[in-house]
Amino acid sequence: MRALTWQGRRDVRVETVSDPSIKESTDVLVRITSTGICGSDLHLYEVMGPYLDPGDILGHEPMGVVEEVGEDIAALGVGDRVVVPFNISCGTCYMCGQGLHSQCETTQVKERGMGAALFGYTKLYGQVPGGQAELLRVPFGDTLPIKVPHGPPDERFVYLSDVLPTAWQAVEYAAVPPGGTLAVLGLGPIGEMACRIALHHGARLVVGVDLVPERLRRAGARGVRTFDLRAQGKDLIDAVRGLTEGRGTDAVIDAVGMEAHGAPVAKAAHWLVGMLPDAVAERLMEHAGVDRLSALHTAIELVRRGGTVSVAGVYGGSADPMPMLRMFDKQIQLRMGQANVRRWVDDIMPLLGDDDPLGVEGFATHTMPLEEAPRAYKMFQAKEDGMIKTLLKP
């Protein structure tokens, strides 16, 4: 089959690799029809090389059609259409029973001290082959894949793999009160979808902050009050407080994570780590890693006293300096974590009908063949051609 493979920093290639096969009686094989490029894929492209090997297959936002099933599969058959969640959860352990599928005890990567395994996402999360490929082996076939109807286009459902549940959880964790206010830092796919969900839930004011004109325009067209960080600069906090009776918003979602702008020292450290031998870089990242924290520090300042900061952006630092005095004094509530995909599916599915209130159809700005994935990664990282969300078609 053809698959997108990691070969080195800023070097991904579509290659011919061995087809996956059924290994356990509860596996299914899925022929991929659509697969997204996620903002967190750029972390692999740029800084997570120490945890990857050349040839690793990337991607964790796939959907497709079941091509083969293990002998113990009861819920799916050949020809069924499914979306594959990005976290690999059994659905039956204690953590899955608590709705914490990203902490699944069956697939926790215990040798690394990490939570549930993920498709296409480094040795930290199990080094499982990903979904930017023609075929994908999916374990726990009766409990993990999300069966969806034939008929509507893939774009109606593909975001159930990551974008929708991640944004949904970010809004749930933000706990915006009825008629309340929310600020979202970062208007990439997760941030913008979180804005749409918050407005659908009845937020009175949703403020979106970014520095990419296309993202600001797109969010603004759906009723988000946008601020351009480049133009606003240090006045952002005062501007948002001016909309909220001087308090700040009830909640803030950090949808940026480690890619935040405005932290040149941490940026230089990321670049340096990416140039070191893997064994050295791993030790440095695990014991002295520092993220670019501009977005998270902004969220702490932006939220009102007693408000909630919900972190959906990915961070990886082990030695991040946090303003604990400020957080304690403001009585901030902080929630974060990988999305528990299966936890939110039943809540989201009713919104994927013909009326499409969240605007999932048309959400992708680009659709490209899998063979063009290297160019798509390069464009996405450089924010070229207004690229916000890309779907690849094997």
Side-chain angles (χ1 to χ4, degrees), residues 12 59 208 242 254 319 362:
V12 295
D254 171 5

Side-chain angles (χ1 to χ4, degrees), residues 119-304:
F119 287 105
Y121 215 80
T122 79
K123 298 171 187 175
L124 288 174
Y125 289 102
Q127 206 170 20
V128 181
Q132 289 170 357
E134 291 180 324
L135 289 166
L136 180 67
R137 170 185 168 259
V138 181
F140 311 113
D142 276 344
T143 53
L144 180 59
I146 303 162
K147 187 175 179 179
V148 297
H150 287 278
D154 280 6
E155 202 174 4
R156 182 78 62 84
F157 303 113
V158 67
Y159 304 117
L160 283 169
S161 60
D162 183 350
V163 173
L164 281 167
T166 298
W168 193 277
Q169 178 171 295
V171 174
E172 288 288 328
Y173 281 9
V176 181
T181 58
L182 171 70
V184 178
L185 305 180
L187 294 173
I190 301 302
E192 194 204 342
M193 185 57 75
C195 290
R196 297 184 185 195
I197 291 167
L199 288 168
H200 180 76
H201 282 356
R204 172 175 59 83
L205 171 70
V206 175
V207 174
V209 182
D210 207 293
L211 38 70
V212 180
E214 293 85 358
R215 294 179 176 185
L216 292 162
R217 284 196 295 269
R218 194 159 105 139
R222 294 188 70 93
V224 178
R225 178 67 180 270
T226 60
F227 286 98
D228 186 335
L229 187 61
R230 291 192 192 276
Q232 207 68 41
K234 295 180 180 179
D235 296 329
L236 174 66
I237 305 298
D238 289 339
V240 174
R241 286 177 180 167
L243 300 174
T244 55
E245 300 178 295
R247 298 188 186 95
T249 52
D250 295 312
V252 179
I253 293 173
D254 171 5
V256 177
M258 68 171 74
E259 292 294 317
H261 290 255
V265 174
K267 181 178 181 180
H270 280 187
W271 179 86
L272 176 62
V273 167
M275 305 301 290
L276 293 171
D278 285 357
V280 176
E282 276 194 38
R283 287 197 297 272
L284 195 62
M285 292 177 74
E286 291 175 12
H287 300 289
V290 177
D291 288 307
R292 290 185 262 177
L293 295 174
S294 305
L296 186 52
H297 286 187
T298 298
I300 291 165
E301 285 301 312
L302 205 55
V303 73
R304 67 162 169 80

